[in-house]
Amino acid sequence: MKRCFLIIVLLGISFCNLFAQSIDDRNFAEFENVKEYYDGAISIARATVADQSVKQYHYEDAINYLRPASSKYKWLVQRYSALELEEVDTKAIGSTEGHILYTYDYARKHYADVNFQENGLLRNDDEEIDAETKRRLRCRVKILAIAPHSSVVYKDVVTGRSILVAVAEPNATLRLSVSGKSKYDCESYENGMVGFCKWVAGENEETIYRIENTGDKEVCLALIAN
């Protein structure tokens, strides 16, 4: 009991100053899949700034959020797909090498339990995944790096209820803007580390995403969308 209490205290102290103004879970509504990836990204961010004694707990959380999931056929399938976007202005794109990456592979690499293993066979053949699993796991992700005091612009085509979350590395800040038939409201969380936008698009609406690195260092981030 004392050990559990100590862990909780250490977890709180390790990031209470860095992580604030968190997104209310209700903002994700029906986007449970996006929320899980977001929670995984935040867990990795917390791990990178946590004391050595508690890093493992955050990486373990990240693995559980991002790990492949079981389908009804007992196969393991990826929880997300690539967020394919049309490049509008990407001159400020940098290299992700050497950065914190909000991915399952990054969490596994930094998790010290080398005996951890998945149970099952990983399948990526979309035709072999049942409809319910597809619905449950629908989430698109793009990892990119942006030069300091610069922005990148992409175009997407979306329909209906949509969500986009940008998560930067700890101690970095970004600004997210989304516009289609109108400019949609985007909000900032976690002291500027996270940008969040949720909107209802028209049928096949062309939508522009602008992500600005407002800091003085190159930053890697994850774009997470439904």
Side-chain angles (χ1 to χ4, degrees):
M1 187 67 179
K2 289 182 178 179
R3 180 175 180 275
C4 291
F5 178 75
L6 177 61
I7 290 172
I8 292 172
V9 171
L10 288 173
L11 289 175
I13 292 174
S14 66
F15 54 81
C16 63
N17 292 324
L18 182 62
F19 297 90
Q21 303 167 321
S22 298
I23 302 175
D24 189 315
D25 288 350
R26 291 173 295 183
N27 284 340
F28 287 98
E30 71 272 32
F31 304 108
E32 307 94 359
N33 34 28
V34 175
K35 180 183 184 302
E36 283 210 340
Y37 202 101
Y38 172 76
D39 286 340
I42 290 296
S43 295
I44 292 174
R46 288 172 173 169
T48 63
V49 300
D51 292 336
Q52 194 62 41
S53 58
V54 295
K55 283 182 180 292
Q56 283 291 88
Y57 300 103
H58 293 304
Y59 281 128
E60 186 173 344
D61 284 344
I63 288 171
N64 287 328
Y65 284 125
L66 303 177
R67 68 195 295 181
S70 297
S71 70
K72 71 177 183 180
Y73 301 115
K74 309 302 180 185
W75 296 328
L76 295 176
V77 294
Q78 294 289 6
R79 289 182 181 270
Y80 57 94
S81 59
L83 176 55
E84 302 287 354
L85 302 171
E86 181 180 340
E87 297 182 354
V88 177
D89 182 356
T90 58
K91 294 187 295 292
I93 288 289
S95 171
T96 60
E97 186 175 353
H99 285 282
I100 296 165
L101 302 179
Y102 294 136
T103 66
Y104 170 77
D105 289 339
Y106 184 92
R108 281 291 297 117
K109 179 180 178 181
H110 289 80
Y111 184 61
D113 185 1
V114 296
N115 295 318
F116 180 92
Q117 293 182 345
E118 303 287 4
N119 296 316
L121 177 66
L122 185 63
R123 294 291 294 267
N124 288 304
D125 187 348
D126 192 59
E127 293 182 359
E128 298 290 348
I129 302 173
D130 58 284
E132 174 57 22
T133 301
K134 288 180 184 178
R135 186 201 65 78
R136 225 171 10 99
L137 305 182
R138 189 179 68 252
C139 179
R140 300 179 297 154
V141 179
K142 186 176 185 66
I143 306 294
L144 66 148
I146 304 176
H149 298 293
S150 301
S151 60
V152 297
V153 181
Y154 292 103
K155 181 189 293 184
D156 198 6
V157 177
V158 295
T159 298
R161 298 182 65 82
S162 306
I163 189 170
L164 181 70
V165 189
V167 188
E169 294 173 277
N171 296 310
T173 56
L174 58 79
R175 184 177 295 114
L176 175 67
S177 63
V178 176
S179 58
K181 292 181 178 178
S182 62
K183 187 171 183 179
Y184 301 110
D185 292 333
C186 296
E187 299 177 331
S188 179
Y189 294 93
E190 308 295 359
N191 295 325
M193 191 182 88
V194 173
F196 177 90
C197 189
K198 185 172 65 173
W199 71 100
V200 178
E203 184 72 21
N204 295 323
E205 182 178 318
E206 289 191 353
T207 308
I208 297 296
Y209 304 150
R210 184 176 186 272
I211 310 97
E212 179 183 358
N213 173 8
T214 57
D216 57 6
K217 293 182 179 179
E218 183 179 75
V219 62
C220 190
L221 58 93
L223 285 179
I224 313 167
N226 67 317

